[in-house]
Amino acid sequence: MPEIIVKQPSLFSPDATLLMGDARAMMGREVMDRIRKVVDSNQGKKAYYLLVASRQDPTDEKRIRTTIVLSGVQPPKMLGTMCFHVDNQKGRAKRLWVLPLDRPSVIKAPPAELVPEIAAAARRLPIIHG
């Protein structure tokens, strides 16, 4: 069977078209880099929780603000947050949850590709009409 190569424009393409997947990947790398810096700068602490929350900037709709909060106790689960437990004595970090925002939006076109993890998580959610 011949190999099929699908080319899609991306941030690194000659026409510099930015696709949603490129933006999502860049944001993910940026957040993980910030988390890594916080973990590196807190090597002296035995164990702690990191709560990561992102929201739209109220003064600039085009900007997303991400806040990372260090806590000695496990924070409550909140929509639009990620939480990690970091144990420096064991040299481990464990992701406890990633909860999406509960913000309705109008989707003009279906996504180009299905994300299996999101689809699997959605199967367990109740459908609420209201």
Side-chain angles (χ1 to χ4, degrees), residues 54-68:
S54 295
R55 66 183 180 92
Q56 190 175 21
D57 188 320
T59 61
D60 182 359
E61 292 182 2
K62 295 179 182 178
R63 179 169 285 181
I64 296 174
R65 297 273 184 202
T66 300
T67 305
I68 301 174

Side-chain angles (χ1 to χ4, degrees), residues 107-126:
I107 298 175
K108 296 183 179 175
E113 47 185 77
L114 180 69
V115 179
E117 294 84 13
I118 294 174
R123 286 190 193 106
R124 296 186 298 271
L125 294 175

Side-chain angles (χ1 to χ4, degrees), residues 4 6 8 14 26 37 41 43 49 51-52 69 74 91 95 110 113 118 122:
I4 298 172
V6 178
Q8 295 182 5
M26 288 171 61
K37 287 177 184 176
S41 64
Q43 290 293 318
Y49 294 89
L51 182 68
V52 182
V69 179
Q74 182 172 334
R95 185 182 65 226
E113 47 185 77
I118 294 174

Side-chain angles (χ1 to χ4, degrees), residues 41-119:
S41 64
N42 287 282
Q43 290 293 318
K45 296 183 189 287
K46 291 182 182 179
Y48 55 90
Y49 294 89
L50 283 178
L51 182 68
V52 182
S54 295
R55 66 183 180 92
Q56 190 175 21
D57 188 320
T59 61
D60 182 359
E61 292 182 2
K62 295 179 182 178
R63 179 169 285 181
I64 296 174
R65 297 273 184 202
T66 300
T67 305
I68 301 174
V69 179
L70 230 76
S71 176
V73 296
Q74 182 172 334
K77 290 183 178 179
M78 295 176 280
L79 292 174
T81 65
M82 294 186 294
C83 185
F84 299 87
H85 181 256
V86 179
D87 187 335
N88 285 324
Q89 289 181 322
K90 294 180 181 177
R92 293 189 179 173
K94 180 180 180 183
R95 185 182 65 226
L96 301 178
W97 70 76
V98 177
L99 297 173
L101 284 172
D102 185 23
R103 204 167 81 185
S105 62
V106 177
I107 298 175
K108 296 183 179 175
E113 47 185 77
L114 180 69
V115 179
E117 294 84 13
I118 294 174

